[in-house]
Amino acid sequence: MITVRGIQELISQITAMKKDLSKPGVTVGFVPTMGFLHEGHASLMKQARNKTDIVVLSIFVNPIQFGPNEDFESYPRDEKRDLAVAEKEGVDIVFIPSVEEMYPQPTKTTIQVSGLTERLCGASRPGHFDGVTTVVAKLFNIVQPDFAFFGMKDAQQVAVLTQMVNDLNMPVTIVPCPIMRETDGLALSSRNVYLSAEERSQALSLSRSLSVAQKASEEREDITISELRNLVISEITKSPAAVIDYVEVLTFPGLQPLAEEQQLEQIQEDVIVALAVKFGKTRLIDNHRLKKVEVLSRV
Ligand code: PAF
């Protein structure tokens, strides 16, 4: 495994590796991350390893996707451990640029995906998705991957990035990968380390609430959107520490809100229950797709 910190060096290494493989149609799989890798990231690397010839992982805590009062400075970082995880998963190249390498001067060009970024996390974190799409577009231009792997825990991010590559004819396929959970149901997130033992135990109400929604949707075909949403909210609020940011039932990947009285069975699109809830200072997101979409983007 090679670790590189410079953009030019990364491009040279990918070019050399493609040449070394000396076969036609060598594919590059890319896993963009902000580091502090966990099993969720490992599952993305595994998928990339299975599907593509050369696996590139990036570790970059991207300042422009954090708001002024967010956790950019304190975001957990552990490069040594990240490199060990990447090595174990068979990554070929790890790209760890500095902020100066990625933004030698403040960027005057921003990619903004309208329609999908105003709701959910976009409403609570203004400018967040512009930061994500801008850095991911930069990384795609540098790495030129054939496939890029993203976890469905950030379902809105998957929807936004898929829209971006489709709208801009970027020659990359976004591969959405399943949410990875602890055995007790907590969705894996680098931010879980912020939780106290008590907050962590209360945060289990999130995955429980999604299971309740799934079960109810299986039991009652005529269940309405507002009934589903209320079930999720009442399960979460059983945890006294939970402060709900949002609980929404929407189409996926269009992220269109659904009418309260609409019955789930009448909706001809895939439907997602998405939530963001604070426990103490830690804001957690989670979601569940009631129906599955396989491939979201193809150029
Ligand atoms: O999901 C993340 O870790 C980040 O938003 C990403 C895609 C690496 C962009 O900084």
Side-chain angles (χ1 to χ4, degrees):
M1 186 176 83
I2 300 167
T3 303
V4 301
R5 294 176 198 272
I7 292 170
Q8 283 317 320
E9 192 194 347
L10 175 65
I11 293 169
S12 309
Q13 290 290 359
I14 294 172
T15 310
M17 260 185 205
K18 277 183 161 174
K19 214 165 148 209
D20 280 358
L21 283 176
S22 63
K23 63 167 192 179
V26 171
T27 53
V28 175
F30 181 38
V31 182
T33 76
M34 298 205 299
F36 212 66
L37 305 175
H38 50 64
E39 280 302 313
H41 297 113
S43 75
L44 306 181
M45 293 177 236
K46 279 191 179 79
Q47 286 225 31
R49 185 71 284 164
N50 283 339
K51 198 174 170 65
T52 59
D53 299 309
I54 298 172
V55 178
V56 179
L57 170 83
S58 67
I59 298 175
F60 179 60
V61 185
N62 172 37
I64 69 165
Q65 70 186 72
F66 289 79
N69 300 317
E70 293 184 355
D71 56 345
F72 171 68
E73 294 298 342
S74 61
Y75 193 83
R77 293 160 167 90
D78 189 341
E79 188 180 305
K80 203 165 151 225
R81 202 181 56 118
D82 286 350
L83 289 174
V85 173
E87 178 106 60
K88 181 167 166 267
E89 296 306 332
V91 167
D92 296 303
I93 306 177
V94 187
F95 177 48
I96 314 182
S98 63
V99 172
E100 294 69 36
E101 182 71 6
M102 287 299 284
Y103 301 109
Q105 63 270 320
T107 183
K108 290 184 177 150
T109 308
T110 303
I111 297 204
Q112 188 173 51
V113 176
S114 63
L116 297 177
T117 55
E118 293 82 0
R119 281 184 291 278
L120 308 176
C121 290
S124 321
R125 305 184 66 189
H128 167 69
F129 284 111
D130 297 353
V132 170
T133 42
T134 302
V135 80
V136 171
K138 279 166 75 73
L139 289 165
F140 282 177
N141 282 336
I142 296 164
V143 176
Q144 303 205 2
D146 299 284
F147 298 91
F149 299 80
F150 294 90
M152 271 300 290
K153 188 173 80 67
D154 294 308
Q156 188 174 16
Q157 176 168 277
V158 170
V160 168
L161 292 172
T162 302
Q163 186 75 39
M164 175 184 83
V165 305
N166 288 339
D167 284 349
L168 299 181
N169 300 91
M170 292 180 170
V172 52
T173 298
I174 301 286
V175 183
C177 303
I179 299 176
M180 299 300 285
R181 297 182 182 278
E182 305 274 11
T183 42
D184 58 12
L186 186 71
L188 296 186
S189 162
S190 303
R191 289 189 170 100
N192 288 351
V193 290
Y194 297 152
L195 296 166
S196 68
E198 177 56 28
E199 286 164 351
R200 193 196 174 287
S201 137
Q202 295 210 18
L204 297 180
S205 63
L206 303 189
S207 53
R208 263 201 315 267
S209 73
L210 296 171
S211 304
V212 167
Q214 174 63 33
K215 195 158 173 275
S217 73
E218 285 165 11
E219 282 169 3
R220 274 192 48 208
E221 286 186 348
D222 62 347
I223 194 156
T224 65
I225 297 306
S226 78
E227 284 172 327
L228 272 169
R229 189 165 173 270
N230 290 339
L231 277 174
V232 173
I233 291 174
S234 64
E235 192 61 40
I236 295 172
T237 48
K238 286 181 189 163
S239 295
V243 178
I244 293 178
D245 178 354
Y246 64 76
V247 172
E248 301 285 351
V249 184
L250 316 112
T251 63
F252 187 85
L255 305 182
Q256 290 309 304
L258 293 159
E260 300 259 296
E261 68 284 359
Q262 235 177 324
Q263 293 176 353
L264 187 64
E265 64 176 347
Q266 293 168 340
I267 300 160
Q268 298 308 315
E269 289 171 76
D270 293 0
V271 173
I272 191 172
V273 186
L275 54 86
V277 179
K278 267 184 121 175
F279 292 87
K281 289 201 169 96
T282 312
R283 184 177 175 279
L284 299 179
I285 57 171
D286 203 344
N287 71 79
H288 177 68
R289 278 193 294 172
L290 295 170
K291 301 172 201 167
K292 288 214 159 59
V293 173
E294 292 307 330
V295 177
L296 289 174
S297 100
R298 180 160 294 123
V299 173

